[in-house]
Amino acid sequence: MTEPKDHAAGVALTAVLAGYVVGTALQLQQPTLWSMGAYGGLAAAAAVAVALAQRIRQAAPLWLLAGALAAFAAVGIRAVTMHSRALEPVLQGRSVQVMGIVGGLPQRSEMGWRFLFEVEQAELDDLPVTLPPRLQLAWYGPVTTADETGAARPMPAGVRVGDRWRLTVRLKAPHGNLNPHGFDSELWLWEQGIGATGNVRTGRKDTPPRLLAEAVAHPLERLRQRVRDRILDQAASGNDAERRRVGIVAALVTGDQNAITRADWDVFRATGVAHLMSISGLHITMFAWLAAALVGGLWRRGGRWSGTRRLSLWLPAPHAALVGGLLLASGYALFSGWAVPAQRTVLMLATVALLKLAGLRWPWWMTWLLACAVVLAVDPWAMLQAGFWLSFVAVGVLFATDPGVAVHDFKARLYRLLHEQMVVTLALTPLSLLLFGQASVIGLFANLLAIPWVTLVITPLALLGVLWPTLWTAAAWALAPLVWPLQALAAWPWASVTLPAAPLALGLAAIIGGLLLALRWPWPLRLTGLPLLLAYVLWQPTRPAPGQFELLAADVGQGSAVLVRTATHTLLYDTGARYSETSNAGQRVLTPLLRALGERVDTLVLSHSDNDHAGGAAAVLAAQPATALLSSFEAEDLLPAAHSQQRCQAGQRWHWDGVEFEVLHPSAAAYARKTGARQTNALSCVLRVRAASGAGALLTGDIETAQEAELARADPAALRVDVLMAPHHGSRTSSSAALLDAAAPRVALIQSGYRNRFGHPAPEVVARYQARGIRIADSPSCGAMHWRSDQPAEVRCERELARRYWQHRIQDKDISGA
């Protein structure tokens, strides 16, 4: 049998597979999970639909329904099971003794270690407790808290995969920042099966960590860590460029994407070759192809020997090549960390290989749908990853545009390669714009340069280095002639195009437009895709009406960042924190947010110099160098070269589109009273924004009770607003009765981190707001907070606008605490 028995069987199978994909997509849109019984009922309904479909003609809709119900039920049952293993709320913030094994590849930064921990036993106050089976732990160095000194905490020289430890940890539910068009870290943790995050405790009152045994599990991961460390050690004494190239080699061999610097990732994304610099589907596919060719050649050669001729007859060389290529590619994917893109590619290759081994020659769309359904059956949440869509759209387009004619002439092969690369570029550019808001203009040329060099030279050298380490150095040197032209291309002003995030319907239409242009259809039909593309490219986000403004309090964790938009202008108040040498809120949250919203910041106001308010400024100003800067401190260390700044001072006033902006604090006298670093909070720039209708907002930085009283005495009417940014994240030293009575806001916005170690917002401050009937919205419960001057009594929460069942829900206002 080479194809489905008849047309009806083919239609039924196609409908079931399509239904499975649709059912998975629908289940992933659920804001909350149903009961196990409800999903069981859907599974029963799927069985009924199958029974009915077998009894009637023209049953394609029933087969489609059966596949959708089965997928919805299967994913729902699996999600309910995963949710049942969540961390018990009573265990949050408690010091728990855990014994378990380090899993995954530990990551080292200047702050400490971060690693996956597989729990075997757990105790609280000498009584056994149940924890999620997988934790993500951080083991930090020196830190000062309320109950410990600032002395350095002991840290091991190395955390190694497979070692068994007994640790004291403090855990919390997986909770990440949630912003419009931003990365959903809670989805990533859910997909990895991580049920809690936390820190290793090594204070004076904690039981010291204890290494119980070495190398008790994960031998392959342990080898992977050893190989990575050996590669990185080769450049320990080299210059920065050498260390960066060696980091790329380590990523290609072991799949550790953290070995590549952020600057290099920016270059690779701008040139459209980022998929080549990590273990992607392309690497696994090329490895499988080369392995299959090698196994097939050896099998044919071995078939000439009398001792192996019977084996060759039992398993022909083409089949041996398929099996050998798939097994070796699977081994490579396992060694590289079995990341989601590698898993997806192995499952796709396995599906195609099994069809060939079974002698089934299905139409390309059935093969494509089957591979898609298999991937989603194993990992349904992969559908929410950009790589899933990029992979399957690229494969589908190549299937659809394949002429089905073999070519042997070199020129013909070169032409086909160019044509395939152009077709994939046409099809994926709209998809990249929809997923990332950015697409590489020079990606076609850069990929033609990089694909053969990376896949045929650099990657083989890097992998053979496992057997002969000298080849790692050769691979690093081979990167130099590629990285230099890529850096030059990325420096071109039009290397990539950035568009604001358009509505989903426009994005889907643009993808269809790109597909139409890529297909082998008559040009009059293909050109119908151009209007669909233009509609997406020309779309612009709506803005407030003249005289009105919008406020977006971004979710940056323990920090502050507020975006204020008028009809034609944009102001950013504070930029969140710097998390480490290579990571900050400006780069991780604000720059992607501004790009997705299509914003060009006219003025950046840095209220004061504290890290949680100004730590992301450098990244924002680097991305938007034309931005004017207003601040209460000298910020030369935060600024790009030659970037000027102006001091904020009470009395400054300007108007944008009928909206008034006025600085209320600090006054000239307040600057004169400045007495050292402890006064940074007191000098916070306080900005009032007022619409033509009179609705207003007050952005307060970290002012404290004394400054609040001074403002209330000076001009109480000037403080009257509808929305107040709670001073100092709701600290007990702020939000005084004098300020709240003078401002009389309808809404208070509190930007703070989930279970932060400062205890923000303080319970007595929350009570003070509640006693006055002021509605409180906070970052942990709300995510990013949206407020509009034409609807002054309403606050929209990102966690409600984009609610999904894997996202953590705050219980009993559990928003502060260590």
Side-chain angles (χ1 to χ4, degrees):
M1 184 180 71
T2 60
E3 55 187 24
K5 291 182 179 179
D6 52 35
H7 176 71
V11 170
L13 181 57
T14 302
V16 169
L17 295 174
Y20 196 92
V21 174
V22 171
T24 301
L26 291 175
Q27 198 282 335
L28 297 182
Q29 303 306 309
Q30 283 195 280
T32 57
L33 288 173
W34 299 341
S35 67
M36 188 72 80
Y39 292 116
L42 289 181
V48 172
V50 169
L52 290 175
Q54 291 174 334
R55 294 174 177 269
I56 63 174
R57 294 178 178 273
Q58 305 298 325
L62 276 175
W63 287 116
L64 181 71
L65 178 63
L69 290 172
F72 202 105
V75 179
I77 290 171
R78 186 169 168 186
V80 170
T81 303
M82 293 174 64
H83 193 267
S84 67
R85 297 196 292 261
L87 179 69
E88 292 290 340
V90 71
L91 297 178
Q92 292 197 99
R94 306 289 301 275
S95 293
V96 181
Q97 290 280 325
V98 296
M99 184 179 76
I101 297 172
V102 176
L105 202 62
Q107 299 294 332
R108 179 80 188 255
S109 70
E110 74 274 10
M111 298 176 64
W113 288 95
R114 185 174 295 275
F115 55 94
L116 181 70
F117 195 72
E118 299 170 352
V119 177
E120 295 176 322
Q121 296 178 12
E123 293 180 351
L124 176 64
D125 299 330
D126 296 325
L127 296 175
V129 294
T130 301
L131 295 181
R134 289 161 66 90
L135 311 175
Q136 185 183 68
L137 298 180
W139 193 335
Y140 293 130
V143 77
T144 301
T145 65
D147 62 342
E148 294 175 3
T149 68
R153 294 179 171 186
M155 288 179 55
V159 176
R160 305 201 64 81
V161 182
D163 288 353
R164 176 176 284 122
W165 285 84
R166 181 179 293 278
L167 304 170
T168 302
V169 300
R170 189 166 290 181
L171 302 174
K172 59 183 178 180
H175 189 97
N177 303 335
L178 193 64
N179 292 284
H181 315 292
F183 176 68
D184 190 347
S185 59
E186 292 175 39
L187 170 62
W188 184 87
L189 292 168
W190 171 276
E191 190 176 12
Q192 303 298 315
I194 295 172
T197 63
N199 301 325
V200 177
R201 308 291 294 179
T202 56
R204 292 178 301 171
K205 299 179 182 179
D206 299 309
T207 304
R210 181 183 173 193
L211 177 62
L212 301 178
E214 296 183 354
V216 297
H218 304 301
L220 190 60
E221 284 290 300
R222 196 170 179 87
L223 173 63
R224 182 174 166 234
Q225 182 178 3
R226 188 159 57 246
V227 169
R228 181 199 63 177
D229 294 345
R230 288 179 63 190
I231 296 173
L232 296 178
D233 288 344
Q234 292 204 344
S237 60
N239 57 39
D240 181 65
E242 291 173 347
R243 287 194 297 271
R244 289 166 64 172
R245 291 198 300 269
V246 167
I248 297 172
V249 173
L252 289 173
V253 176
T254 66
D256 182 13
Q257 298 187 21
N258 292 301
I260 301 178
T261 65
R262 186 161 295 277
D264 285 332
W265 275 126
D266 291 340
V267 169
F268 300 149
R269 292 190 182 103
T271 54
V273 301
H275 63 289
L276 295 173
M277 302 304 171
S278 59
I279 306 299
S280 66
L282 177 63
H283 289 93
I284 303 298
T285 303
M286 289 296 297
F287 187 90
W289 180 76
L290 292 172
L294 177 62
V295 171
L298 293 175
W299 201 264
R300 290 185 185 92
R301 183 178 296 274
R304 301 172 188 171
W305 304 335
S306 59
T308 58
R309 190 168 300 153
R310 182 175 299 177
L311 184 61
S312 299
L313 292 174
W314 174 74
L315 185 64
H319 288 183
L322 274 176
V323 174
L326 178 62
L327 291 177
L328 290 173
S330 301
Y332 177 36
L334 284 169
F335 179 75
S336 65
W338 198 236
V340 172
Q343 296 177 37
R344 187 168 57 238
T345 303
V346 169
L347 289 172
M348 290 173 63
L349 291 173
T351 301
V352 174
L354 289 174
L355 287 175
K356 288 189 174 183
L357 289 173
L360 301 175
R361 294 187 350 194
W362 290 1
W364 71 263
W365 61 85
M366 288 183 64
T367 304
W368 183 79
L369 272 176
L370 177 61
C372 185
V374 168
V375 169
L376 293 179
V378 175
D379 181 11
W381 299 279
M383 181 176 270
L384 299 172
Q385 305 296 334
F388 173 88
W389 294 103
L390 293 171
S391 296
F392 275 99
V393 170
V395 171
V397 168
L398 290 176
F399 269 137
T401 58
D402 183 9
V405 178
V407 295
H408 304 286
D409 180 73
F410 175 76
K411 289 185 178 179
R413 288 184 176 180
L414 180 61
Y415 172 78
R416 177 171 290 188
L417 174 64
L418 292 172
H419 179 266
E420 289 178 350
Q421 187 62 47
M422 183 180 67
V423 163
V424 169
T425 300
L426 275 174
L428 294 189
T429 296
L431 182 58
S432 297
L433 288 171
L434 177 63
L435 295 172
F436 308 117
Q438 185 178 18
S440 176
V441 174
I442 56 177
L444 175 61
F445 174 75
N447 275 279
L448 288 174
L449 175 70
I451 286 176
W453 191 248
V454 172
T455 56
L456 300 179
V457 178
I458 295 171
T459 302
L461 286 173
L463 293 177
L464 290 171
V466 177
L467 303 176
W468 188 21
T470 302
L471 293 179
W472 288 329
T473 303
W477 279 107
L479 274 165
L482 175 64
V483 170
W484 295 334
L486 289 179
Q487 290 174 338
L489 289 171
W492 185 47
W494 293 98
S496 61
V497 60
T498 300
L499 295 177
L504 179 61
L506 276 180
L508 294 176
I511 293 170
I512 294 172
L515 293 174
L516 287 172
L517 289 171
L519 292 173
R520 290 178 172 271
W521 287 0
W523 273 106
L525 287 176
R526 296 168 72 173
L527 290 176
T528 58
L530 280 178
L532 300 177
L533 285 172
L534 287 175
Y536 184 89
V537 171
L538 298 177
W539 180 86
Q540 290 296 317
T542 58
R543 299 192 67 90
Q548 302 292 343
F549 71 95
E550 295 177 352
L551 183 149
L552 171 60
D555 186 359
V556 293
Q558 184 64 24
S560 177
V562 182
L563 191 67
V564 183
R565 304 166 68 236
T566 68
T568 63
H569 291 84
T570 301
L571 177 142
L572 180 61
Y573 183 91
D574 284 342
T575 59
R578 173 183 174 272
Y579 309 127
S580 67
E581 289 184 359
T582 58
S583 179
N584 59 76
Q587 161 238 37
R588 289 179 56 180
V589 177
L590 297 178
T591 299
L593 176 62
L594 294 169
R595 183 171 61 237
L597 297 177
E599 296 295 341
R600 295 291 179 268
V601 178
D602 297 287
T603 298
L604 168 61
V605 178
L606 295 179
S607 63
H608 62 299
S609 61
D610 282 4
N611 172 59
D612 58 336
H613 292 254
V620 172
L621 292 172
Q624 304 211 16
T627 300
L629 176 62
L630 200 64
S631 67
S632 63
F633 64 100
E634 299 296 328
E636 288 86 352
D637 57 329
L638 299 177
L639 302 179
H643 198 114
S644 61
Q645 67 178 103
Q646 182 182 1
R647 171 186 279 189
C648 68
Q649 187 166 311
Q652 292 170 330
R653 182 184 292 110
W654 68 94
H655 291 80
W656 286 343
D657 308 312
V659 177
E660 180 189 62
F661 293 76
E662 182 177 2
V663 177
L664 303 182
H665 180 81
S667 62
Y671 280 112
R673 292 195 299 267
K674 178 181 176 183
T675 58
R678 294 179 63 85
Q679 295 298 315
T680 57
N681 288 353
L683 291 179
S684 293
C685 302
V686 177
L687 180 68
R688 187 194 65 202
V689 187
R690 181 167 290 169
S693 61
L698 190 64
L699 309 180
T700 57
D702 279 355
I703 60 169
E704 300 185 348
T705 303
Q707 293 76 50
E708 294 171 359
E710 182 180 331
L711 287 169
R713 286 194 304 268
D715 188 356
L719 298 181
R720 182 77 56 165
V721 291
D722 295 274
V723 61
L724 171 68
M725 182 60 63
H728 203 177
H729 320 287
S731 164
R732 59 174 50 90
T733 61
S734 301
S735 296
S736 62
L739 175 68
L740 300 188
D741 291 339
R746 305 186 192 196
V747 177
L749 307 181
I750 300 178
Q751 288 186 301
S752 60
Y754 176 62
R755 299 191 61 82
N756 63 86
R757 65 189 180 94
F758 305 102
H760 296 159
E764 58 266 37
V765 169
V766 172
R768 205 173 297 149
Y769 282 103
Q770 293 173 337
R772 290 164 173 79
I774 301 170
R775 177 187 173 186
I776 295 177
D778 58 82
S779 302
S781 302
C782 207
M785 297 169 281
H786 306 256
W787 181 88
R788 295 170 49 175
S789 61
D790 59 351
Q791 298 176 352
E794 297 183 14
V795 175
R796 293 178 300 144
C797 293
E798 190 66 25
R799 285 190 176 271
E800 293 304 322
L801 296 173
R803 168 67 66 191
R804 294 294 182 269
Y805 59 79
W806 54 81
Q807 292 168 354
H808 177 231
R809 293 195 175 193
I810 304 295
Q811 298 182 2
D812 300 324
K813 282 294 178 184
D814 181 22
I815 58 178
S816 62

